Short mmCIF file of all heavy atoms in Angstrom, two decimals:
data_model
loop_
_atom_site.label_atom_id
_atom_site.label_comp_id
_atom_site.label_asym_id
_atom_site.label_seq_id
_atom_site.Cartn_x
_atom_site.Cartn_y
_atom_site.Cartn_z
N GLY V 492 34.46 16.43 -2.47
CA GLY V 492 35.39 17.35 -1.84
C GLY V 492 35.30 18.80 -2.28
O GLY V 492 36.20 19.59 -2.00
N ALA V 493 34.21 19.19 -2.96
CA ALA V 493 34.07 20.59 -3.35
C ALA V 493 33.71 21.47 -2.17
O ALA V 493 33.98 22.68 -2.18
CB ALA V 493 33.00 20.73 -4.44
N ILE V 494 33.10 20.88 -1.14
CA ILE V 494 32.71 21.61 0.06
C ILE V 494 32.62 20.61 1.20
O ILE V 494 32.39 19.41 0.97
CB ILE V 494 31.34 22.31 -0.15
CG1 ILE V 494 31.04 23.27 0.99
CG2 ILE V 494 30.22 21.31 -0.34
CD1 ILE V 494 29.81 24.13 0.74
N SER V 495 32.82 21.06 2.44
CA SER V 495 32.72 20.16 3.58
C SER V 495 31.26 20.00 3.99
O SER V 495 30.40 20.83 3.67
CB SER V 495 33.52 20.71 4.77
OG SER V 495 32.90 21.88 5.28
N ALA V 496 30.97 18.92 4.71
CA ALA V 496 29.60 18.67 5.16
C ALA V 496 29.13 19.78 6.09
O ALA V 496 27.95 20.18 6.06
CB ALA V 496 29.54 17.32 5.87
N GLU V 497 30.03 20.31 6.92
CA GLU V 497 29.67 21.38 7.85
C GLU V 497 29.28 22.65 7.11
O GLU V 497 28.31 23.33 7.44
CB GLU V 497 30.83 21.66 8.81
CG GLU V 497 31.13 20.53 9.79
CD GLU V 497 31.87 19.37 9.13
OE1 GLU V 497 32.40 19.55 8.00
OE2 GLU V 497 31.90 18.28 9.73
N GLU V 498 30.07 22.99 6.08
CA GLU V 498 29.76 24.19 5.29
C GLU V 498 28.42 24.04 4.58
O GLU V 498 27.62 24.99 4.53
CB GLU V 498 30.87 24.43 4.25
CG GLU V 498 32.19 24.90 4.85
CD GLU V 498 33.27 25.01 3.78
OE1 GLU V 498 33.52 23.99 3.09
OE2 GLU V 498 33.85 26.10 3.62
N ARG V 499 28.13 22.84 4.05
CA ARG V 499 26.87 22.62 3.35
C ARG V 499 25.69 22.80 4.31
O ARG V 499 24.70 23.44 3.99
CB ARG V 499 26.87 21.24 2.71
CG ARG V 499 25.51 20.76 2.16
CD ARG V 499 24.83 21.74 1.22
NE ARG V 499 25.64 22.17 0.12
CZ ARG V 499 25.88 21.44 -0.98
NH1 ARG V 499 25.34 20.26 -1.12
NH2 ARG V 499 26.63 21.94 -1.94
N GLN V 500 25.78 22.24 5.52
CA GLN V 500 24.69 22.37 6.47
C GLN V 500 24.45 23.81 6.87
O GLN V 500 23.32 24.25 7.04
CB GLN V 500 24.98 21.51 7.72
CG GLN V 500 24.83 20.02 7.50
CD GLN V 500 23.45 19.64 7.01
OE1 GLN V 500 22.43 20.14 7.49
NE2 GLN V 500 23.41 18.76 6.00
N ALA V 501 25.53 24.56 6.99
CA ALA V 501 25.40 25.98 7.33
C ALA V 501 24.68 26.74 6.22
O ALA V 501 23.82 27.60 6.49
CB ALA V 501 26.78 26.59 7.59
N HIS V 502 25.00 26.42 4.99
CA HIS V 502 24.35 27.10 3.86
C HIS V 502 22.88 26.73 3.75
O HIS V 502 22.03 27.58 3.43
CB HIS V 502 25.07 26.73 2.56
CG HIS V 502 26.44 27.34 2.44
ND1 HIS V 502 27.37 26.92 1.52
CD2 HIS V 502 27.04 28.32 3.15
CE1 HIS V 502 28.47 27.62 1.65
NE2 HIS V 502 28.29 28.48 2.64
N ILE V 503 22.56 25.45 4.03
CA ILE V 503 21.16 25.03 4.00
C ILE V 503 20.36 25.75 5.08
O ILE V 503 19.25 26.24 4.84
CB ILE V 503 21.05 23.50 4.18
CG1 ILE V 503 21.61 22.78 2.96
CG2 ILE V 503 19.59 23.07 4.41
CD1 ILE V 503 21.69 21.27 3.11
N ALA V 504 20.95 25.82 6.30
CA ALA V 504 20.26 26.52 7.38
C ALA V 504 20.03 27.99 7.04
O ALA V 504 18.97 28.56 7.34
CB ALA V 504 21.10 26.41 8.67
N LYS V 505 21.00 28.60 6.39
CA LYS V 505 20.87 30.01 5.98
C LYS V 505 19.73 30.18 4.98
O LYS V 505 18.92 31.11 5.09
CB LYS V 505 22.18 30.48 5.36
CG LYS V 505 22.17 31.94 4.91
CD LYS V 505 23.51 32.33 4.30
CE LYS V 505 23.47 33.78 3.78
NZ LYS V 505 24.77 34.16 3.17
N GLN V 506 19.63 29.25 4.00
CA GLN V 506 18.57 29.34 3.00
C GLN V 506 17.20 29.08 3.63
O GLN V 506 16.21 29.75 3.30
CB GLN V 506 18.81 28.33 1.87
CG GLN V 506 19.96 28.69 0.95
CD GLN V 506 19.69 29.96 0.14
OE1 GLN V 506 18.55 30.26 -0.18
NE2 GLN V 506 20.74 30.70 -0.16
N GLU V 507 17.13 28.13 4.58
CA GLU V 507 15.86 27.86 5.26
C GLU V 507 15.41 29.07 6.07
O GLU V 507 14.23 29.43 6.09
CB GLU V 507 15.99 26.64 6.16
CG GLU V 507 16.08 25.32 5.40
CD GLU V 507 16.14 24.12 6.31
OE1 GLU V 507 16.85 24.20 7.33
OE2 GLU V 507 15.51 23.11 6.01
N HIS V 508 16.37 29.71 6.74
CA HIS V 508 16.06 30.91 7.51
C HIS V 508 15.55 32.01 6.60
O HIS V 508 14.58 32.72 6.92
CB HIS V 508 17.31 31.38 8.27
CG HIS V 508 17.10 32.66 9.04
ND1 HIS V 508 16.31 32.72 10.17
CD2 HIS V 508 17.55 33.93 8.81
CE1 HIS V 508 16.30 33.97 10.62
NE2 HIS V 508 17.05 34.73 9.82
N TYR V 509 16.18 32.13 5.42
CA TYR V 509 15.75 33.15 4.46
C TYR V 509 14.32 32.90 4.00
O TYR V 509 13.49 33.81 3.96
CB TYR V 509 16.69 33.15 3.24
CG TYR V 509 16.17 33.99 2.09
CD1 TYR V 509 16.30 35.39 2.09
CD2 TYR V 509 15.52 33.37 1.02
CE1 TYR V 509 15.80 36.14 1.04
CE2 TYR V 509 15.02 34.13 -0.03
CZ TYR V 509 15.16 35.51 -0.02
OH TYR V 509 14.65 36.27 -1.05
N HIS V 510 14.00 31.63 3.67
CA HIS V 510 12.65 31.31 3.20
C HIS V 510 11.61 31.53 4.30
O HIS V 510 10.51 32.01 4.04
CB HIS V 510 12.59 29.87 2.69
CG HIS V 510 13.26 29.68 1.37
ND1 HIS V 510 12.93 30.40 0.26
CD2 HIS V 510 14.26 28.83 0.98
CE1 HIS V 510 13.68 30.02 -0.77
NE2 HIS V 510 14.50 29.07 -0.35
N GLU V 511 11.96 31.14 5.55
CA GLU V 511 11.03 31.36 6.66
C GLU V 511 10.75 32.85 6.85
O GLU V 511 9.61 33.27 7.04
CB GLU V 511 11.62 30.77 7.95
CG GLU V 511 11.62 29.24 7.97
CD GLU V 511 12.34 28.70 9.19
OE1 GLU V 511 12.80 29.52 10.02
OE2 GLU V 511 12.47 27.46 9.29
N LYS V 512 11.81 33.65 6.80
CA LYS V 512 11.66 35.10 6.96
C LYS V 512 10.84 35.67 5.82
O LYS V 512 9.95 36.51 6.02
CB LYS V 512 13.05 35.75 7.00
CG LYS V 512 13.01 37.26 7.23
CD LYS V 512 14.43 37.81 7.30
CE LYS V 512 14.38 39.34 7.50
NZ LYS V 512 15.75 39.91 7.56
N HIS V 513 11.12 35.20 4.59
CA HIS V 513 10.40 35.68 3.41
C HIS V 513 8.92 35.33 3.49
O HIS V 513 8.05 36.15 3.22
CB HIS V 513 11.02 35.07 2.15
CG HIS V 513 10.33 35.47 0.88
ND1 HIS V 513 10.46 36.72 0.33
CD2 HIS V 513 9.48 34.77 0.06
CE1 HIS V 513 9.73 36.80 -0.77
NE2 HIS V 513 9.13 35.62 -0.96
N ASP V 514 8.63 34.07 3.93
CA ASP V 514 7.23 33.64 4.03
C ASP V 514 6.50 34.40 5.12
O ASP V 514 5.33 34.77 4.96
CB ASP V 514 7.16 32.13 4.34
CG ASP V 514 7.64 31.30 3.16
OD1 ASP V 514 7.67 31.83 2.04
OD2 ASP V 514 8.00 30.12 3.38
N THR V 515 7.20 34.68 6.24
CA THR V 515 6.57 35.43 7.34
C THR V 515 6.26 36.85 6.90
O THR V 515 5.18 37.38 7.17
CB THR V 515 7.52 35.46 8.56
OG1 THR V 515 7.79 34.12 8.96
CG2 THR V 515 6.87 36.21 9.71
N THR V 516 7.21 37.45 6.19
CA THR V 516 7.00 38.82 5.70
C THR V 516 5.84 38.88 4.73
O THR V 516 5.00 39.76 4.79
CB THR V 516 8.28 39.33 5.00
OG1 THR V 516 9.36 39.25 5.92
CG2 THR V 516 8.10 40.77 4.54
N SER V 517 5.77 37.88 3.83
CA SER V 517 4.68 37.83 2.86
C SER V 517 3.34 37.67 3.55
O SER V 517 2.34 38.29 3.19
CB SER V 517 4.89 36.69 1.88
OG SER V 517 6.09 36.86 1.17
N SER V 518 3.31 36.81 4.60
CA SER V 518 2.07 36.58 5.33
C SER V 518 1.60 37.84 6.04
O SER V 518 0.42 38.18 6.02
CB SER V 518 2.29 35.45 6.35
OG SER V 518 1.14 35.22 7.10
N CYS V 519 2.54 38.57 6.64
CA CYS V 519 2.19 39.82 7.33
C CYS V 519 1.66 40.84 6.34
O CYS V 519 0.70 41.57 6.62
CB CYS V 519 3.42 40.37 8.07
SG CYS V 519 3.92 39.37 9.49
N SER V 520 2.28 40.89 5.18
CA SER V 520 1.84 41.84 4.15
C SER V 520 0.43 41.52 3.68
O SER V 520 -0.41 42.40 3.50
CB SER V 520 2.80 41.80 2.95
OG SER V 520 4.09 42.18 3.35
N ASP V 521 0.16 40.21 3.53
CA ASP V 521 -1.17 39.79 3.09
C ASP V 521 -2.22 40.15 4.13
O ASP V 521 -3.31 40.64 3.81
CB ASP V 521 -1.20 38.28 2.85
CG ASP V 521 -0.39 37.89 1.63
OD1 ASP V 521 -0.10 38.78 0.81
OD2 ASP V 521 -0.04 36.70 1.51
N ASN V 522 -1.87 39.95 5.44
CA ASN V 522 -2.81 40.27 6.50
C ASN V 522 -3.06 41.77 6.58
O ASN V 522 -4.19 42.21 6.82
CB ASN V 522 -2.28 39.77 7.85
CG ASN V 522 -2.29 38.24 7.92
OD1 ASN V 522 -3.08 37.60 7.25
ND2 ASN V 522 -1.41 37.67 8.74
N ALA V 523 -1.99 42.54 6.34
CA ALA V 523 -2.13 44.00 6.39
C ALA V 523 -3.05 44.48 5.29
O ALA V 523 -3.87 45.38 5.48
CB ALA V 523 -0.75 44.66 6.29
N GLU V 524 -2.91 43.84 4.10
CA GLU V 524 -3.76 44.23 2.98
C GLU V 524 -5.22 43.90 3.27
O GLU V 524 -6.14 44.66 2.92
CB GLU V 524 -3.30 43.52 1.71
CG GLU V 524 -1.98 44.06 1.17
CD GLU V 524 -1.51 43.28 -0.04
OE1 GLU V 524 -2.27 42.39 -0.50
OE2 GLU V 524 -0.40 43.54 -0.52
N LYS V 525 -5.47 42.77 3.95
CA LYS V 525 -6.85 42.38 4.27
C LYS V 525 -7.46 43.36 5.27
O LYS V 525 -8.65 43.68 5.19
CB LYS V 525 -6.87 40.96 4.85
CG LYS V 525 -6.53 39.89 3.82
CD LYS V 525 -6.51 38.51 4.44
CE LYS V 525 -6.13 37.46 3.42
NZ LYS V 525 -6.09 36.11 4.02
#
Side-chain angles (χ1 to χ4, degrees):
I494 190 172
S495 69
E497 292 76 15
E498 289 176 304
R499 169 52 55 77
Q500 287 303 317
H502 289 166
I503 292 174
K505 181 180 177 181
Q506 288 294 329
E507 288 183 319
H508 177 70
Y509 169 79
H510 286 304
E511 289 174 2
K512 183 178 179 181
H513 179 73
D514 292 341
T515 302
T516 303
S517 299
S518 178
C519 291
S520 299
D521 291 342
N522 291 334
E524 289 176 5
K525 291 178 181 179

